[in-house]
Amino acid sequence: MLIHNVRLVTWGLTNEILDGRAVYLDKGKIAEIGGEARLLKKYARAERLDGGGQLLMPGNICAHTHFYSAFARGLAIPGRPPRDFPDILRKLWWPLDKSLTLDDVRASAEVSLVDAIRHGTTTLIDHHASPNAIDGSLDVIAEAVDRAGLRAVLCYEVTDRDGPVRARAGIRENVRFLKRAGRTLAGGRVAGLFGLHASLTLSDQTLQECRAAAPDGTGFHIHVAEHEADEYDSLTKSGMRVVDRLEKHGILGPRTITAHGIHTDIREAELLSQTRTWVTHQPRSNMNNGVGVAPIESLLRAGVRVGLGNDGFSNAMWEEWKTAYLLHKVWHRDPRRMPCDLLVEMAVYNNAALAGQSFPGAPLGVLVPGAHADLILVDYRPTTTLTSGNLPWHILFGFHESMVTATIVAGRILMQDRQLLTLDEEEITRRARSLVPEVWHRYAGFVPSDN
Ligand SMILES: [Zn+2]
């Protein structure tokens, strides 16, 4: 397919904005970028996509999300409002994830995938929980991702909070899925990690079992120090802080993702840096949960690799850029904090490197020949000068995800002129709304009463 009549944003190591070029896609990759007139002649018989003068850029990547959280929209938490994050887990997330059947897991994932295609997020790293429907849950999500045409990295969060039988089932689900995942699953668009909930719901024995069960070279995906409670629980259980404890159990490493890292100390940052472990930042979620602000600038200065996720908020990643940009300024009462280059480092380059580890064989998140053809068209008509250098400020102050008109993954068009081509949004919405009353009813039965 030849895409023409576009302005290219490459997100190469030195970002470029290129006019008068066309892009030829073949076998899921970007095969050639060249002068528009020349390529129109060279590929005269190829299928064409006229970009109508829009920006053509790499799709956005989300480094940490939860497809299973979609049914929480509008859900009323009974009793007094949760007073802190552990209370939010007990009163919202744990009773909600218990309420999900495999049908709900599928429907919740589909709702999230529609949202991702609409908002130009082409790769998502998901962290799944459904303690009453564990076996096969990752297959159900993988099938939904395959149908959607997106790219995703999946895992099941192992936890002791529902007893040893379900902890073992979680381990089995990861191991089984990791054997299936790889180059062949969904044409190589679905990969796996080994999921762990958080140190505060994992015993030493379960951590050991996870380490022993994880295939060689597999990374883990775990929440770390999202709230002080995680650190104090770890100190009580093991005499060690969370990151030290995970290091002892062999969980850290260059393929492991630790989400949040808000309450880590300097030594923990050092360990994350030395082991090249990833940290992901989710400012909208952190603000919503009132859990504090991760010291992202310090972590980056300490050499920690930090990416940007959404933790189940909308798959509108520029919203997450904007929130990070604003949050760190107000937190420090200093408009110089969280400068744009750090945002680009996290959201563009680090996210591409992180997600790219799961999809080797071609670069991801960059518009160069040979890269995975994951692209979006953005109908942004700048009213001021737009250059490769000032693009990040246009994104912060001018872009909106509703400007995404086309989403392409592995060379296949998933949305064109804002019409979804792979998923039936009306049917997905209808199904989700028909399932939600039962989910909310079960949820109400699982919520612990106030005391
Ligand atoms: Zn999370």
Side-chain angles (χ1 to χ4, degrees):
M1 178 169 64
L2 186 70
I3 309 175
H4 68 106
N5 192 16
V6 285
R7 301 187 81 184
L8 308 187
V9 172
T10 67
W11 282 136
L13 219 45
T14 305
N15 185 37
E16 290 181 291
I17 294 184
L18 304 170
D19 290 303
R21 310 289 213 289
V23 179
Y24 182 65
L25 312 183
D26 190 33
K27 299 187 178 73
K29 308 276 178 3
I30 296 166
E32 189 173 355
I33 300 172
E36 185 169 13
R38 187 175 66 80
L39 291 199
L40 281 170
K41 197 181 287 177
K42 181 173 176 183
Y43 298 107
R45 292 185 178 178
E47 180 194 348
R48 286 187 188 177
L49 178 61
D50 182 342
Q54 298 178 77
L55 297 175
L56 178 70
M57 55 197 295
N60 287 321
I61 294 169
C62 173
H64 174 77
T65 193
H66 302 281
F67 296 155
Y68 76 80
S69 71
F71 286 178
R73 286 177 202 159
L75 172 65
I77 301 172
R80 62 164 169 72
R83 66 166 79 90
D84 57 18
F85 180 62
D87 220 16
I88 291 173
L89 290 176
R90 281 190 298 270
K91 295 191 70 172
L92 173 59
W93 295 115
W94 294 351
L96 181 64
D97 65 28
K98 275 198 190 77
S99 308
L100 302 174
T101 65
L102 284 184
D103 280 345
D104 302 322
V105 169
R106 180 182 298 105
S108 188
E110 285 173 345
V111 167
S112 303
L113 297 168
V114 165
D115 186 63
I117 295 174
R118 280 223 169 278
H119 296 139
T121 300
T122 49
T123 298
L124 302 112
I125 303 181
D126 188 61
H127 195 264
H128 175 65
S130 52
N132 285 319
I134 298 174
D135 297 346
S137 57
L138 296 180
D139 290 343
V140 162
I141 300 172
E143 282 162 22
V145 172
D146 191 15
R147 266 200 311 283
L150 287 160
R151 199 180 291 281
V153 185
L154 309 181
C155 72
Y156 188 88
E157 57 150 71
V158 176
T159 176
D160 288 314
R161 70 174 185 265
D162 301 304
V165 172
R166 288 191 175 86
R168 301 294 110 72
I171 293 172
R172 274 202 313 277
E173 181 64 3
N174 279 300
V175 172
R176 188 191 61 73
F177 185 73
L178 282 163
K179 280 190 187 139
R180 268 196 79 203
R183 282 172 209 289
T184 50
L185 194 55
R189 286 183 290 99
V190 172
L193 288 170
F194 197 111
L196 302 169
H197 172 245
S199 171
L200 86 166
T201 68
L202 288 161
S203 66
D204 283 341
Q205 192 192 330
T206 302
L207 280 173
Q208 280 164 16
E209 285 180 33
C210 290
R211 178 60 277 175
D216 284 349
T218 305
F220 292 87
H221 186 179
I222 180 170
H223 295 107
V224 163
E226 186 169 1
H227 185 272
E228 297 92 322
D230 202 21
E231 293 288 4
Y232 286 113
D233 170 89
S234 179
L235 286 163
T236 305
K237 271 199 296 224
S238 66
M240 280 178 274
R241 292 182 70 86
V242 172
V243 175
D244 297 74
R245 182 169 182 241
L246 297 180
E247 164 69 353
K248 183 189 149 198
H249 286 283
I251 303 298
L252 305 183
R255 296 182 63 89
T256 287
I257 300 171
T258 63
H260 301 297
I262 297 169
H263 299 281
T264 48
D265 73 2
I266 291 170
R267 173 60 190 149
E268 290 177 289
E270 237 172 28
L271 270 176
L272 292 167
S273 173
Q274 284 164 5
T275 55
R276 307 199 72 229
T277 302
W278 293 95
V279 170
T280 65
H281 184 39
Q282 289 74 222
R284 284 184 295 178
S285 162
N286 298 159
M287 291 166 73
N288 183 48
N289 290 326
V291 287
V293 181
I296 296 301
E297 291 163 298
S298 300
L299 289 172
L300 287 166
R301 260 174 55 73
V304 179
R305 303 192 291 176
V306 184
L308 196 69
N310 66 25
D311 214 11
F313 269 67
S314 63
N315 293 307
M317 291 307 295
W318 295 321
E319 291 294 315
E320 209 70 50
W321 285 50
K322 293 170 191 175
T323 308
Y325 188 75
L326 300 174
L327 169 61
H328 291 262
K329 288 170 173 52
V330 72
W331 180 252
H332 294 286
R333 297 190 59 248
D334 182 346
R336 292 166 293 193
R337 303 302 290 263
M338 191 50 74
C340 239
D341 57 332
L342 291 190
L343 268 180
V344 170
E345 184 180 338
M346 277 194 287
V348 177
Y349 299 116
N350 286 354
N351 275 10
L354 167 58
Q357 290 180 335
S358 291
F359 304 101
L364 191 69
V366 60
L367 214 170
V368 295
H372 289 293
D374 295 5
L375 301 164
I376 55 176
L377 279 174
V378 183
D379 192 12
Y380 178 63
R381 312 284 167 171
T383 52
T384 55
T385 309
L386 170 65
T387 67
S388 55
N390 74 11
L391 172 69
W393 287 269
H394 279 271
I395 291 177
L396 285 169
F397 299 107
F399 274 39
H400 192 275
E401 285 78 4
S402 63
M403 295 172 181
V404 176
T405 67
T407 301
I408 297 166
V409 173
R412 179 181 178 203
I413 306 176
L414 313 185
M415 178 174 78
Q416 186 170 3
D417 298 328
R418 294 194 176 88
Q419 299 299 309
L420 299 192
L421 303 182
T422 52
L423 296 179
D424 183 342
E425 186 173 10
E426 225 170 277
E427 171 61 17
I428 287 169
T429 304
R430 192 195 58 72
R431 194 158 53 234
R433 283 177 62 166
S434 75
L435 289 170
V436 160
E438 279 298 307
V439 174
W440 287 8
H441 181 71
R442 287 192 291 274
Y443 160 82
F446 286 125
V447 178
S449 55
D450 289 332
N451 46 41

